[in-house]
Amino acid sequence: MYRNPPAASLLVITAVGGLVTAYERTSGRRVWTFEATRRGANHGVTLCHVEDQRVICVSAKMVDSMWAADGLAEINCLDYLTGRHLWQQEVTTGANVGYYTATVLIEAGQVLIAHNTVLFAFVLENGAFMWQQPIDGAHAAGITMPVSVAVPGRATQADRR
């Protein structure tokens, strides 16, 4: 039981098609917007999480080439109150994907991204790449499967998009 209830968050964040917008929670007034990079890509699903005054946005970017559609995940970190861009990473597995499968989990200063068949880890503070590992079972029978990610007390569920 709280002696004082936790303070309500100041902003509500929405994310769609690479566009992230913060609205003042009490009035609905738009406070800031951010648009993910468009370099030759069609944006699809955009996931958004807030942790430690940082907004992590992961945008699906389907880059169509002559041979395949490469599903990229563009990761942007923004300041929660101002929308100031803090860092960016882009990950790909080089695979032709029919739909976007990224899943995001943030915990203990680490950003975990399950994208296609690979799990990536970055430092929340500065976006530094930490490691990547193939995900067992993520590519069953030639089909990329959605991946859920969990640590004790937190989980993110994947769904087919």
Side-chain angles (χ1 to χ4, degrees), residues 2 7 9 12 18 20 47 49 53 58 68-69 82-83 86 90 99 112 134 144-145 147:
Y2 294 107
S9 52
V12 175
V20 181
L47 307 173
H49 294 270
Q53 297 301 301
V58 182
T82 66
L86 301 173
E90 193 170 84
Y99 60 92
L112 300 165
T144 302
M145 304 296 290
V147 177

Side-chain angles (χ1 to χ4, degrees), residues 63-74:
V63 180
D64 296 322
S65 71
M66 184 184 305
W67 309 108
D70 187 8
L72 304 172
E74 180 181 315

Side-chain angles (χ1 to χ4, degrees), residues 1-66:
M1 181 63 98
Y2 294 107
R3 290 181 189 203
N4 294 314
S9 52
L10 299 173
L11 303 175
V12 175
I13 311 293
T14 62
V16 61
L19 181 65
V20 181
T21 307
Y23 299 92
E24 193 173 77
R25 190 169 173 161
T26 57
S27 69
R29 178 183 66 86
R30 185 182 316 122
V31 177
W32 55 259
T33 60
F34 171 81
E35 188 169 3
T37 309
R38 293 275 176 199
R39 294 180 314 247
N42 300 312
H43 279 268
V45 175
T46 300
L47 307 173
C48 193
H49 294 270
V50 178
E51 182 83 18
D52 296 335
Q53 297 301 301
R54 302 245 192 273
V55 179
I56 298 295
C57 311
V58 182
S59 298
K61 290 173 64 173
M62 295 303 287
V63 180
D64 296 322
S65 71
M66 184 184 305

